[in-house]
Amino acid sequence: MANYFSLLLVFLTVATGLIWLVDSLVFAPKRKARMAQTAAAAGSSSAMDPQPELPYLVDTSQQIFPVIAFVLVLRSFIYEPFQIPSGSMMPTLLVGDFILVEKFAYGIKDPVFREKLVETGEPERGDVVVFKYPEEPNIDYIKRVVGLPGDTVVYRNKQVYIKPKCDGGSDCQGLTKVPLEFVSRGDFVQEMAPLMRYSEQLGDVEHDILRHPTRDISAANFWTQPGTRSNEWIVPEGQYFVLGDNRDNSRDSRFWGFVPDDNLVGKAVAIWISFEFERGPDSALPSWIPTGVRFNRVGGID
């Protein structure tokens, strides 16, 4: 089911459209006929006779229907804006980034029941995707696709290993370490510790990830898939394995499982604006007021 804002948009679009339509077909002709009778009784035949005044509800519906309908189509089928609320996707996405999500990337869905109407594509390894959190579908999450349907994914000693799906034969690829290359240390700090920055290659997508130098997420806390080890997952058909780029500060598929295709909202494609919210605890301004704009972050998402 869609979220409350989507439902509100659908309701307002249908309601204002019906009011406009019913008035045009039923009540507007009657108003014009009454005006014509009044003008005839007064002996007026001027082409400049005033038009009947629209009822307030009809006038308002005619004005806002095109705007709401445009927003509904744009937000439901083309692009939707989202705000990044946490640091789980650092360094790719920062708190205060406002992104655009391509809604038609993985299928066109109706805005109410989210049933797929048209197939347009599937996630690829390395895509940054927005999806409905499987454990609480009214919450939107954003993570990176690591495992595709049929893949085997292993996370061991902060390293990702992938065995791609293979239908049989002698050319099947075995469990392979995802390529990593050290980039820098200290660009980001967490819990007083400078984070390690690496470049990771997922398929055709090269992107950066962060590792905490001392924090080690224990495999004992990972979600265990029946029939596999505690740090190994076999991705079912129609589902995806996702990770945050801030690997030691992200609750993702390692903890709660896979993302069904039905939960996908779209592909994050661009940052359209980015705000800073850095102020001291003694500041008199509310925390939601930005302290600056990061224009250098505007652009595409890797």
Side-chain angles (χ1 to χ4, degrees), residues 80 82 84 86 88-94 97 99-103 105-106 122-131 141-148 200 202 204-209 240-247 259 264-271 297 299-302:
E80 181 177 358
F82 284 85
I84 302 302
S86 74
S88 68
M89 281 296 292
M90 294 193 314
T92 306
L93 297 171
L94 307 182
D97 284 351
I99 65 172
L100 286 178
V101 173
E102 193 174 83
K103 299 296 289 288
Y106 309 131
E122 297 177 346
E124 297 181 359
R125 201 186 315 280
D127 283 0
V128 178
V129 299
V130 172
F131 55 92
Y141 265 36
I142 182 166
K143 304 293 178 186
R144 190 179 297 274
V145 174
V146 172
L148 302 176
E200 184 179 71
L202 278 174
D204 297 329
V205 178
E206 183 177 355
H207 64 100
D208 287 355
I209 67 167
Y240 300 89
F241 187 91
V242 298
L243 293 176
D245 288 346
N246 190 359
R247 293 289 160 80
V259 177
L264 294 175
V265 173
K267 178 181 179 180
V269 294
I271 300 170
R297 292 194 52 77
I301 297 174
D302 293 328

Side-chain angles (χ1 to χ4, degrees), residues 126-226:
D127 283 0
V128 178
V129 299
V130 172
F131 55 92
K132 299 296 181 182
Y133 179 37
E135 294 186 346
E136 199 169 345
N138 63 321
I139 298 177
D140 292 313
Y141 265 36
I142 182 166
K143 304 293 178 186
R144 190 179 297 274
V145 174
V146 172
L148 302 176
D151 287 352
T152 298
V153 180
V154 173
Y155 188 79
R156 184 185 303 136
N157 298 326
K158 301 192 179 188
Q159 172 69 55
V160 178
Y161 300 81
I162 298 175
K163 178 182 178 182
K165 176 184 178 180
C166 185
D167 295 325
S170 58
D171 58 346
C172 289
Q173 182 179 334
L175 194 65
T176 304
K177 180 188 296 187
V178 172
L180 276 180
E181 183 177 341
F182 177 77
V183 174
S184 62
R185 177 190 177 110
D187 295 340
F188 297 89
V189 177
Q190 181 180 323
E191 298 173 350
M192 307 290 291
L195 301 183
M196 313 289 286
R197 185 169 186 160
Y198 291 83
S199 176
E200 184 179 71
Q201 186 78 38
L202 278 174
D204 297 329
V205 178
E206 183 177 355
H207 64 100
D208 287 355
I209 67 167
L210 297 178
R211 287 181 177 177
H212 195 284
T214 58
R215 176 188 287 181
D216 189 9
I217 300 177
S218 172
N221 296 322
F222 290 163
W223 169 72
T224 301
Q225 182 183 16

